Structures are given as C-alpha cells and as structure tokens.
Amino acid sequence: MTSSKRDQLVNTALELFYREGFHATGIDRILAESGVAKMTLYKHFKSKDELILAALDSRMRPAAEQMAKALERLPPRDAILRVFDGLHALLNEKEFFGCAFINAAAEFHERDHPIHRLAATHKANVLAHFRTALERLQASDPERLARQIQYVMEGAISIAHIQGPGSQAMEAKAAVDTLLRAEGL
C-alpha cells in the first residue's frame, strides 16, 4: 500500500469520526468512502483503535508544529494570543463539530485507554505552549496562569460546539488579554 492510500484512509476516517463519532463510524463505512480494500487497511492498522489513533495524531501534529513555530517566531505574548486567531478559524469552519480530542475522550472515557491518553496529550501540549510562553514572559505563576488561559480556550470551544460558531474565540482572546494585563504581562 502506498503512503497515499494510507493517508486516504486516515483522512477519510478522521472526517467520519469527527462528523459522526468514533463508535458510530464503522470500518466498512470508512472503506466504502475511502475506496481502500479491507486487506489493505489491516496491513497498516491492526484494529479500529489504531486507525483512530493515527487519525487523531494526524490532527495533533500540525497543531503542535504551529504552536512550536509561534514560540520560535513571535514574542511570547503574541504566541499566546495567536492561538485564539487559529481557534477562530477552526470554530468557523463549515463543518465544525467540536474538538476532536474532547469528542474522543468523551467516547473513550477510561483515562488509561490509549485514545483517551492521546487526547490528554494534545491538551497537555496546548497547556505546555501557554506555560512556555508565560515562563518567557516571567509570569509569577506560569503553571496556574497557563491553566486559566486553557480553561478560557476550552470554554470557547465548548460554547461554539453547543451554540454554533460565532465570535467565541475572539471574545476568549479578549478575556485572555485582560487576564495577561491583570498579571502585568
């Protein structure tokens, strides 16, 4: 199987899992929509869970890369606030169905399940991004402030999912700006 077939499987699976749910989406549906044979699928993924992990990883890697680039190229305060610009674009995509990682953690609620752990890793990466930027800003308690910023971000995601997309990310960005100013940053 060429890597393009693998990518086709992963991309199709991610789209279906995100739109319809992880448990609700069967392998046969993924195969039908991707046009890939079942034998080919199982050459690369021993189970549906492995395919889910690959699909989520394909979403996690670009986000981690963008945050790393922001920390390299931008002043730390901007690296924090820029997350909300990206979030605004995500929340306003035509097919926004909430956070894929929150959705995965909800469906695989056992905290030691590999899919739940991958979702937790993504959220930990976001927290680390905020903490690193706050450390560079010499915040008095970067861990606490990073968590508070993440709470604001996660709230914007949840409300956009429930109410429909709008200005949640930009309002969250303004709240984080206020929070940073209150901390003298």
PDB file of all heavy atoms in Angstrom, residues 83-116:
ATOM      1  N   VAL A  83      -2.990  31.839  19.296  1.00  0.00           N
ATOM      2  CA  VAL A  83      -3.752  30.582  19.386  1.00  0.00           C
ATOM      3  C   VAL A  83      -5.235  30.855  19.152  1.00  0.00           C
ATOM      4  O   VAL A  83      -5.928  30.077  18.493  1.00  0.00           O
ATOM      5  CB  VAL A  83      -3.523  29.893  20.756  1.00  0.00           C
ATOM      6  CG1 VAL A  83      -4.516  28.758  20.978  1.00  0.00           C
ATOM      7  CG2 VAL A  83      -2.088  29.394  20.871  1.00  0.00           C
ATOM      8  N   PHE A  84      -5.713  31.968  19.646  1.00  0.00           N
ATOM      9  CA  PHE A  84      -7.136  32.282  19.541  1.00  0.00           C
ATOM     10  C   PHE A  84      -7.527  32.703  18.129  1.00  0.00           C
ATOM     11  O   PHE A  84      -8.678  32.523  17.726  1.00  0.00           O
ATOM     12  CB  PHE A  84      -7.530  33.313  20.600  1.00  0.00           C
ATOM     13  CG  PHE A  84      -7.390  32.743  21.984  1.00  0.00           C
ATOM     14  CD1 PHE A  84      -6.195  32.849  22.683  1.00  0.00           C
ATOM     15  CD2 PHE A  84      -8.436  32.040  22.554  1.00  0.00           C
ATOM     16  CE1 PHE A  84      -6.048  32.283  23.942  1.00  0.00           C
ATOM     17  CE2 PHE A  84      -8.303  31.468  23.813  1.00  0.00           C
ATOM     18  CZ  PHE A  84      -7.102  31.587  24.508  1.00  0.00           C
ATOM     19  N   ASP A  85      -6.567  33.227  17.361  1.00  0.00           N
ATOM     20  CA  ASP A  85      -6.841  33.510  15.949  1.00  0.00           C
ATOM     21  C   ASP A  85      -7.040  32.196  15.190  1.00  0.00           C
ATOM     22  O   ASP A  85      -7.965  32.060  14.392  1.00  0.00           O
ATOM     23  CB  ASP A  85      -5.694  34.314  15.328  1.00  0.00           C
ATOM     24  CG  ASP A  85      -5.528  35.684  15.963  1.00  0.00           C
ATOM     25  OD1 ASP A  85      -6.539  36.253  16.449  1.00  0.00           O
ATOM     26  OD2 ASP A  85      -4.386  36.185  15.992  1.00  0.00           O
ATOM     27  N   GLY A  86      -6.150  31.236  15.449  1.00  0.00           N
ATOM     28  CA  GLY A  86      -6.307  29.919  14.838  1.00  0.00           C
ATOM     29  C   GLY A  86      -7.582  29.234  15.285  1.00  0.00           C
ATOM     30  O   GLY A  86      -8.271  28.580  14.495  1.00  0.00           O
ATOM     31  N   LEU A  87      -7.901  29.402  16.553  1.00  0.00           N
ATOM     32  CA  LEU A  87      -9.131  28.821  17.091  1.00  0.00           C
ATOM     33  C   LEU A  87     -10.354  29.431  16.408  1.00  0.00           C
ATOM     34  O   LEU A  87     -11.310  28.725  16.077  1.00  0.00           O
ATOM     35  CB  LEU A  87      -9.199  29.028  18.605  1.00  0.00           C
ATOM     36  CG  LEU A  87     -10.389  28.415  19.315  1.00  0.00           C
ATOM     37  CD1 LEU A  87     -10.422  26.898  19.145  1.00  0.00           C
ATOM     38  CD2 LEU A  87     -10.354  28.783  20.796  1.00  0.00           C
ATOM     39  N   HIS A  88     -10.304  30.722  16.162  1.00  0.00           N
ATOM     40  CA  HIS A  88     -11.427  31.396  15.489  1.00  0.00           C
ATOM     41  C   HIS A  88     -11.664  30.773  14.108  1.00  0.00           C
ATOM     42  O   HIS A  88     -12.816  30.495  13.732  1.00  0.00           O
ATOM     43  CB  HIS A  88     -11.153  32.895  15.361  1.00  0.00           C
ATOM     44  CG  HIS A  88     -12.243  33.653  14.688  1.00  0.00           C
ATOM     45  ND1 HIS A  88     -13.470  33.892  15.267  1.00  0.00           N
ATOM     46  CD2 HIS A  88     -12.305  34.211  13.445  1.00  0.00           C
ATOM     47  CE1 HIS A  88     -14.236  34.580  14.429  1.00  0.00           C
ATOM     48  NE2 HIS A  88     -13.552  34.770  13.317  1.00  0.00           N
ATOM     49  N   ALA A  89     -10.580  30.533  13.381  1.00  0.00           N
ATOM     50  CA  ALA A  89     -10.713  29.905  12.059  1.00  0.00           C
ATOM     51  C   ALA A  89     -11.303  28.501  12.196  1.00  0.00           C
ATOM     52  O   ALA A  89     -12.198  28.123  11.431  1.00  0.00           O
ATOM     53  CB  ALA A  89      -9.351  29.853  11.369  1.00  0.00           C
ATOM     54  N   LEU A  90     -10.844  27.735  13.171  1.00  0.00           N
ATOM     55  CA  LEU A  90     -11.347  26.375  13.387  1.00  0.00           C
ATOM     56  C   LEU A  90     -12.831  26.384  13.739  1.00  0.00           C
ATOM     57  O   LEU A  90     -13.623  25.626  13.170  1.00  0.00           O
ATOM     58  CB  LEU A  90     -10.554  25.681  14.499  1.00  0.00           C
ATOM     59  CG  LEU A  90     -11.065  24.303  14.917  1.00  0.00           C
ATOM     60  CD1 LEU A  90     -10.812  23.281  13.819  1.00  0.00           C
ATOM     61  CD2 LEU A  90     -10.413  23.870  16.213  1.00  0.00           C
ATOM     62  N   LEU A  91     -13.205  27.244  14.666  1.00  0.00           N
ATOM     63  CA  LEU A  91     -14.600  27.288  15.119  1.00  0.00           C
ATOM     64  C   LEU A  91     -15.553  27.714  14.013  1.00  0.00           C
ATOM     65  O   LEU A  91     -16.741  27.399  14.066  1.00  0.00           O
ATOM     66  CB  LEU A  91     -14.762  28.233  16.308  1.00  0.00           C
ATOM     67  CG  LEU A  91     -13.984  27.925  17.576  1.00  0.00           C
ATOM     68  CD1 LEU A  91     -14.350  28.917  18.672  1.00  0.00           C
ATOM     69  CD2 LEU A  91     -14.197  26.501  18.040  1.00  0.00           C
ATOM     70  N   ASN A  92     -15.042  28.423  13.041  1.00  0.00           N
ATOM     71  CA  ASN A  92     -15.892  28.937  11.976  1.00  0.00           C
ATOM     72  C   ASN A  92     -15.773  28.150  10.672  1.00  0.00           C
ATOM     73  O   ASN A  92     -16.255  28.602   9.629  1.00  0.00           O
ATOM     74  CB  ASN A  92     -15.628  30.433  11.768  1.00  0.00           C
ATOM     75  CG  ASN A  92     -16.231  31.237  12.897  1.00  0.00           C
ATOM     76  OD1 ASN A  92     -17.437  31.477  12.927  1.00  0.00           O
ATOM     77  ND2 ASN A  92     -15.415  31.604  13.868  1.00  0.00           N
ATOM     78  N   GLU A  93     -15.139  26.970  10.750  1.00  0.00           N
ATOM     79  CA  GLU A  93     -15.131  26.097   9.593  1.00  0.00           C
ATOM     80  C   GLU A  93     -16.565  25.658   9.306  1.00  0.00           C
ATOM     81  O   GLU A  93     -17.378  25.538  10.229  1.00  0.00           O
ATOM     82  CB  GLU A  93     -14.263  24.858   9.838  1.00  0.00           C
ATOM     83  CG  GLU A  93     -12.786  25.148   9.787  1.00  0.00           C
ATOM     84  CD  GLU A  93     -11.935  23.911  10.057  1.00  0.00           C
ATOM     85  OE1 GLU A  93     -12.479  22.837  10.382  1.00  0.00           O
ATOM     86  OE2 GLU A  93     -10.709  24.037   9.944  1.00  0.00           O
ATOM     87  N   LYS A  94     -16.858  25.378   8.043  1.00  0.00           N
ATOM     88  CA  LYS A  94     -18.212  24.982   7.659  1.00  0.00           C
ATOM     89  C   LYS A  94     -18.671  23.760   8.454  1.00  0.00           C
ATOM     90  O   LYS A  94     -19.818  23.689   8.882  1.00  0.00           O
ATOM     91  CB  LYS A  94     -18.268  24.700   6.163  1.00  0.00           C
ATOM     92  CG  LYS A  94     -19.650  24.367   5.678  1.00  0.00           C
ATOM     93  CD  LYS A  94     -19.683  24.120   4.196  1.00  0.00           C
ATOM     94  CE  LYS A  94     -21.107  23.765   3.804  1.00  0.00           C
ATOM     95  NZ  LYS A  94     -21.175  23.166   2.495  1.00  0.00           N
ATOM     96  N   GLU A  95     -17.785  22.812   8.638  1.00  0.00           N
ATOM     97  CA  GLU A  95     -18.147  21.581   9.343  1.00  0.00           C
ATOM     98  C   GLU A  95     -17.429  21.519  10.683  1.00  0.00           C
ATOM     99  O   GLU A  95     -16.526  20.707  10.879  1.00  0.00           O
ATOM    100  CB  GLU A  95     -17.829  20.370   8.474  1.00  0.00           C
ATOM    101  CG  GLU A  95     -18.613  20.387   7.183  1.00  0.00           C
ATOM    102  CD  GLU A  95     -19.075  19.025   6.755  1.00  0.00           C
ATOM    103  OE1 GLU A  95     -18.658  18.018   7.345  1.00  0.00           O
ATOM    104  OE2 GLU A  95     -19.867  18.966   5.813  1.00  0.00           O
ATOM    105  N   PHE A  96     -17.825  22.365  11.600  1.00  0.00           N
ATOM    106  CA  PHE A  96     -17.265  22.350  12.959  1.00  0.00           C
ATOM    107  C   PHE A  96     -18.159  21.493  13.841  1.00  0.00           C
ATOM    108  O   PHE A  96     -19.360  21.748  13.960  1.00  0.00           O
ATOM    109  CB  PHE A  96     -17.156  23.772  13.524  1.00  0.00           C
ATOM    110  CG  PHE A  96     -16.745  23.788  14.967  1.00  0.00           C
ATOM    111  CD1 PHE A  96     -15.461  23.430  15.339  1.00  0.00           C
ATOM    112  CD2 PHE A  96     -17.654  24.128  15.951  1.00  0.00           C
ATOM    113  CE1 PHE A  96     -15.086  23.422  16.674  1.00  0.00           C
ATOM    114  CE2 PHE A  96     -17.290  24.131  17.299  1.00  0.00           C
ATOM    115  CZ  PHE A  96     -15.996  23.774  17.651  1.00  0.00           C
ATOM    116  N   PHE A  97     -17.562  20.450  14.433  1.00  0.00           N
ATOM    117  CA  PHE A  97     -18.307  19.542  15.297  1.00  0.00           C
ATOM    118  C   PHE A  97     -17.645  19.419  16.664  1.00  0.00           C
ATOM    119  O   PHE A  97     -17.583  18.342  17.233  1.00  0.00           O
ATOM    120  CB  PHE A  97     -18.419  18.155  14.637  1.00  0.00           C
ATOM    121  CG  PHE A  97     -19.120  18.182  13.316  1.00  0.00           C
ATOM    122  CD1 PHE A  97     -18.403  18.040  12.140  1.00  0.00           C
ATOM    123  CD2 PHE A  97     -20.489  18.386  13.246  1.00  0.00           C
ATOM    124  CE1 PHE A  97     -19.048  18.075  10.913  1.00  0.00           C
ATOM    125  CE2 PHE A  97     -21.140  18.430  12.020  1.00  0.00           C
ATOM    126  CZ  PHE A  97     -20.416  18.268  10.844  1.00  0.00           C
ATOM    127  N   GLY A  98     -17.130  20.513  17.173  1.00  0.00           N
ATOM    128  CA  GLY A  98     -16.474  20.481  18.468  1.00  0.00           C
ATOM    129  C   GLY A  98     -15.012  20.106  18.332  1.00  0.00           C
ATOM    130  O   GLY A  98     -14.457  20.041  17.246  1.00  0.00           O
ATOM    131  N   CYS A  99     -14.396  19.849  19.449  1.00  0.00           N
ATOM    132  CA  CYS A  99     -12.988  19.473  19.490  1.00  0.00           C
ATOM    133  C   CYS A  99     -12.881  17.956  19.302  1.00  0.00           C
ATOM    134  O   CYS A  99     -13.462  17.192  20.083  1.00  0.00           O
ATOM    135  CB  CYS A  99     -12.374  19.884  20.824  1.00  0.00           C
ATOM    136  SG  CYS A  99     -10.692  19.272  21.063  1.00  0.00           S
ATOM    137  N   ALA A 100     -12.148  17.534  18.300  1.00  0.00           N
ATOM    138  CA  ALA A 100     -11.987  16.097  18.036  1.00  0.00           C
ATOM    139  C   ALA A 100     -11.407  15.374  19.244  1.00  0.00           C
ATOM    140  O   ALA A 100     -11.748  14.219  19.507  1.00  0.00           O
ATOM    141  CB  ALA A 100     -11.094  15.889  16.815  1.00  0.00           C
ATOM    142  N   PHE A 101     -10.562  16.055  20.007  1.00  0.00           N
ATOM    143  CA  PHE A 101      -9.910  15.420  21.154  1.00  0.00           C
ATOM    144  C   PHE A 101     -10.860  15.312  22.348  1.00  0.00           C
ATOM    145  O   PHE A 101     -10.852  14.303  23.054  1.00  0.00           O
ATOM    146  CB  PHE A 101      -8.627  16.165  21.507  1.00  0.00           C
ATOM    147  CG  PHE A 101      -7.656  16.136  20.361  1.00  0.00           C
ATOM    148  CD1 PHE A 101      -7.573  17.194  19.475  1.00  0.00           C
ATOM    149  CD2 PHE A 101      -6.853  15.030  20.141  1.00  0.00           C
ATOM    150  CE1 PHE A 101      -6.710  17.151  18.392  1.00  0.00           C
ATOM    151  CE2 PHE A 101      -5.989  14.974  19.070  1.00  0.00           C
ATOM    152  CZ  PHE A 101      -5.916  16.042  18.187  1.00  0.00           C
ATOM    153  N   ILE A 102     -11.671  16.324  22.560  1.00  0.00           N
ATOM    154  CA  ILE A 102     -12.694  16.235  23.610  1.00  0.00           C
ATOM    155  C   ILE A 102     -13.706  15.158  23.232  1.00  0.00           C
ATOM    156  O   ILE A 102     -14.115  14.351  24.076  1.00  0.00           O
ATOM    157  CB  ILE A 102     -13.397  17.601  23.823  1.00  0.00           C
ATOM    158  CG1 ILE A 102     -12.420  18.620  24.409  1.00  0.00           C
ATOM    159  CG2 ILE A 102     -14.611  17.445  24.736  1.00  0.00           C
ATOM    160  CD1 ILE A 102     -12.961  20.029  24.474  1.00  0.00           C
ATOM    161  N   ASN A 103     -14.091  15.134  21.954  1.00  0.00           N
ATOM    162  CA  ASN A 103     -15.032  14.113  21.499  1.00  0.00           C
ATOM    163  C   ASN A 103     -14.448  12.711  21.720  1.00  0.00           C
ATOM    164  O   ASN A 103     -15.156  11.803  22.172  1.00  0.00           O
ATOM    165  CB  ASN A 103     -15.375  14.321  20.027  1.00  0.00           C
ATOM    166  CG  ASN A 103     -16.089  15.634  19.756  1.00  0.00           C
ATOM    167  OD1 ASN A 103     -16.575  16.291  20.673  1.00  0.00           O
ATOM    168  ND2 ASN A 103     -16.147  16.024  18.505  1.00  0.00           N
ATOM    169  N   ALA A 104     -13.173  12.539  21.394  1.00  0.00           N
ATOM    170  CA  ALA A 104     -12.524  11.230  21.572  1.00  0.00           C
ATOM    171  C   ALA A 104     -12.474  10.848  23.043  1.00  0.00           C
ATOM    172  O   ALA A 104     -12.784   9.709  23.413  1.00  0.00           O
ATOM    173  CB  ALA A 104     -11.125  11.257  20.976  1.00  0.00           C
ATOM    174  N   ALA A 105     -12.089  11.789  23.891  1.00  0.00           N
ATOM    175  CA  ALA A 105     -12.022  11.499  25.328  1.00  0.00           C
ATOM    176  C   ALA A 105     -13.397  11.161  25.894  1.00  0.00           C
ATOM    177  O   ALA A 105     -13.508  10.317  26.784  1.00  0.00           O
ATOM    178  CB  ALA A 105     -11.407  12.684  26.076  1.00  0.00           C
ATOM    179  N   ALA A 106     -14.425  11.787  25.359  1.00  0.00           N
ATOM    180  CA  ALA A 106     -15.780  11.501  25.829  1.00  0.00           C
ATOM    181  C   ALA A 106     -16.214  10.089  25.431  1.00  0.00           C
ATOM    182  O   ALA A 106     -16.862   9.390  26.213  1.00  0.00           O
ATOM    183  CB  ALA A 106     -16.760  12.529  25.268  1.00  0.00           C
ATOM    184  N   GLU A 107     -15.851   9.677  24.235  1.00  0.00           N
ATOM    185  CA  GLU A 107     -16.250   8.338  23.781  1.00  0.00           C
ATOM    186  C   GLU A 107     -15.369   7.236  24.367  1.00  0.00           C
ATOM    187  O   GLU A 107     -15.810   6.103  24.511  1.00  0.00           O
ATOM    188  CB  GLU A 107     -16.232   8.265  22.256  1.00  0.00           C
ATOM    189  CG  GLU A 107     -17.386   9.016  21.621  1.00  0.00           C
ATOM    190  CD  GLU A 107     -17.621   8.624  20.184  1.00  0.00           C
ATOM    191  OE1 GLU A 107     -17.637   7.412  19.880  1.00  0.00           O
ATOM    192  OE2 GLU A 107     -17.778   9.540  19.355  1.00  0.00           O
ATOM    193  N   PHE A 108     -14.134   7.570  24.669  1.00  0.00           N
ATOM    194  CA  PHE A 108     -13.202   6.607  25.270  1.00  0.00           C
ATOM    195  C   PHE A 108     -12.842   7.158  26.649  1.00  0.00           C
ATOM    196  O   PHE A 108     -11.746   7.650  26.877  1.00  0.00           O
ATOM    197  CB  PHE A 108     -11.961   6.440  24.380  1.00  0.00           C
ATOM    198  CG  PHE A 108     -12.297   5.846  23.045  1.00  0.00           C
ATOM    199  CD1 PHE A 108     -12.632   6.656  21.970  1.00  0.00           C
ATOM    200  CD2 PHE A 108     -12.315   4.468  22.870  1.00  0.00           C
ATOM    201  CE1 PHE A 108     -12.965   6.108  20.737  1.00  0.00           C
ATOM    202  CE2 PHE A 108     -12.642   3.911  21.642  1.00  0.00           C
ATOM    203  CZ  PHE A 108     -12.974   4.736  20.570  1.00  0.00           C
ATOM    204  N   HIS A 109     -13.808   7.084  27.556  1.00  0.00           N
ATOM    205  CA  HIS A 109     -13.724   7.791  28.831  1.00  0.00           C
ATOM    206  C   HIS A 109     -12.771   7.172  29.841  1.00  0.00           C
ATOM    207  O   HIS A 109     -12.399   7.828  30.814  1.00  0.00           O
ATOM    208  CB  HIS A 109     -15.116   7.945  29.441  1.00  0.00           C
ATOM    209  CG  HIS A 109     -15.780   6.641  29.713  1.00  0.00           C
ATOM    210  ND1 HIS A 109     -16.470   5.954  28.750  1.00  0.00           N
ATOM    211  CD2 HIS A 109     -15.824   5.883  30.826  1.00  0.00           C
ATOM    212  CE1 HIS A 109     -16.925   4.832  29.268  1.00  0.00           C
ATOM    213  NE2 HIS A 109     -16.553   4.762  30.514  1.00  0.00           N
ATOM    214  N   GLU A 110     -12.354   5.940  29.659  1.00  0.00           N
ATOM    215  CA  GLU A 110     -11.381   5.347  30.585  1.00  0.00           C
ATOM    216  C   GLU A 110     -10.047   6.066  30.398  1.00  0.00           C
ATOM    217  O   GLU A 110      -9.475   6.044  29.311  1.00  0.00           O
ATOM    218  CB  GLU A 110     -11.225   3.842  30.310  1.00  0.00           C
ATOM    219  CG  GLU A 110     -12.482   3.032  30.559  1.00  0.00           C
ATOM    220  CD  GLU A 110     -12.860   2.956  32.028  1.00  0.00           C
ATOM    221  OE1 GLU A 110     -11.962   3.023  32.889  1.00  0.00           O
ATOM    222  OE2 GLU A 110     -14.062   2.834  32.315  1.00  0.00           O
ATOM    223  N   ARG A 111      -9.563   6.688  31.435  1.00  0.00           N
ATOM    224  CA  ARG A 111      -8.370   7.533  31.313  1.00  0.00           C
ATOM    225  C   ARG A 111      -7.110   6.786  30.893  1.00  0.00           C
ATOM    226  O   ARG A 111      -6.172   7.386  30.401  1.00  0.00           O
ATOM    227  CB  ARG A 111      -8.136   8.290  32.615  1.00  0.00           C
ATOM    228  CG  ARG A 111      -9.145   9.395  32.793  1.00  0.00           C
ATOM    229  CD  ARG A 111      -8.829  10.298  33.966  1.00  0.00           C
ATOM    230  NE  ARG A 111      -9.819  11.353  34.027  1.00  0.00           N
ATOM    231  CZ  ARG A 111     -10.951  11.271  34.704  1.00  0.00           C
ATOM    232  NH1 ARG A 111     -11.230  10.192  35.392  1.00  0.00           N
ATOM    233  NH2 ARG A 111     -11.795  12.273  34.691  1.00  0.00           N
ATOM    234  N   ASP A 112      -7.085   5.458  31.079  1.00  0.00           N
ATOM    235  CA  ASP A 112      -5.901   4.711  30.671  1.00  0.00           C
ATOM    236  C   ASP A 112      -6.024   4.142  29.251  1.00  0.00           C
ATOM    237  O   ASP A 112      -5.097   3.517  28.749  1.00  0.00           O
ATOM    238  CB  ASP A 112      -5.579   3.590  31.663  1.00  0.00           C
ATOM    239  CG  ASP A 112      -6.686   2.548  31.763  1.00  0.00           C
ATOM    240  OD1 ASP A 112      -7.820   2.821  31.326  1.00  0.00           O
ATOM    241  OD2 ASP A 112      -6.410   1.457  32.285  1.00  0.00           O
ATOM    242  N   HIS A 113      -7.156   4.389  28.590  1.00  0.00           N
ATOM    243  CA  HIS A 113      -7.318   3.929  27.210  1.00  0.00           C
ATOM    244  C   HIS A 113      -6.382   4.736  26.308  1.00  0.00           C
ATOM    245  O   HIS A 113      -6.268   5.957  26.469  1.00  0.00           O
ATOM    246  CB  HIS A 113      -8.776   4.100  26.758  1.00  0.00           C
ATOM    247  CG  HIS A 113      -9.078   3.394  25.483  1.00  0.00           C
ATOM    248  ND1 HIS A 113      -8.659   3.860  24.264  1.00  0.00           N
ATOM    249  CD2 HIS A 113      -9.744   2.235  25.242  1.00  0.00           C
ATOM    250  CE1 HIS A 113      -9.050   3.028  23.320  1.00  0.00           C
ATOM    251  NE2 HIS A 113      -9.714   2.032  23.902  1.00  0.00           N
ATOM    252  N   PRO A 114      -5.695   4.107  25.362  1.00  0.00           N
ATOM    253  CA  PRO A 114      -4.745   4.832  24.504  1.00  0.00           C
ATOM    254  C   PRO A 114      -5.347   6.035  23.771  1.00  0.00           C
ATOM    255  O   PRO A 114      -4.678   7.053  23.600  1.00  0.00           O
ATOM    256  CB  PRO A 114      -4.283   3.762  23.507  1.00  0.00           C
ATOM    257  CG  PRO A 114      -4.474   2.473  24.218  1.00  0.00           C
ATOM    258  CD  PRO A 114      -5.689   2.663  25.096  1.00  0.00           C
ATOM    259  N   ILE A 115      -6.602   5.940  23.373  1.00  0.00           N
ATOM    260  CA  ILE A 115      -7.228   7.068  22.670  1.00  0.00           C
ATOM    261  C   ILE A 115      -7.478   8.222  23.631  1.00  0.00           C
ATOM    262  O   ILE A 115      -7.211   9.387  23.309  1.00  0.00           O
ATOM    263  CB  ILE A 115      -8.519   6.603  21.953  1.00  0.00           C
ATOM    264  CG1 ILE A 115      -8.146   5.623  20.837  1.00  0.00           C
ATOM    265  CG2 ILE A 115      -9.312   7.797  21.421  1.00  0.00           C
ATOM    266  CD1 ILE A 115      -9.309   4.871  20.238  1.00  0.00           C
ATOM    267  N   HIS A 116      -7.925   7.911  24.829  1.00  0.00           N
ATOM    268  CA  HIS A 116      -8.116   8.956  25.845  1.00  0.00           C
ATOM    269  C   HIS A 116      -6.758   9.598  26.182  1.00  0.00           C
ATOM    270  O   HIS A 116      -6.657  10.826  26.300  1.00  0.00           O
ATOM    271  CB  HIS A 116      -8.757   8.365  27.101  1.00  0.00           C
ATOM    272  CG  HIS A 116      -9.219   9.397  28.073  1.00  0.00           C
ATOM    273  ND1 HIS A 116     -10.528   9.789  28.153  1.00  0.00           N
ATOM    274  CD2 HIS A 116      -8.540  10.131  29.002  1.00  0.00           C
ATOM    275  CE1 HIS A 116     -10.646  10.720  29.096  1.00  0.00           C
ATOM    276  NE2 HIS A 116      -9.452  10.932  29.615  1.00  0.00           N
TER     277      HIS A 116
END
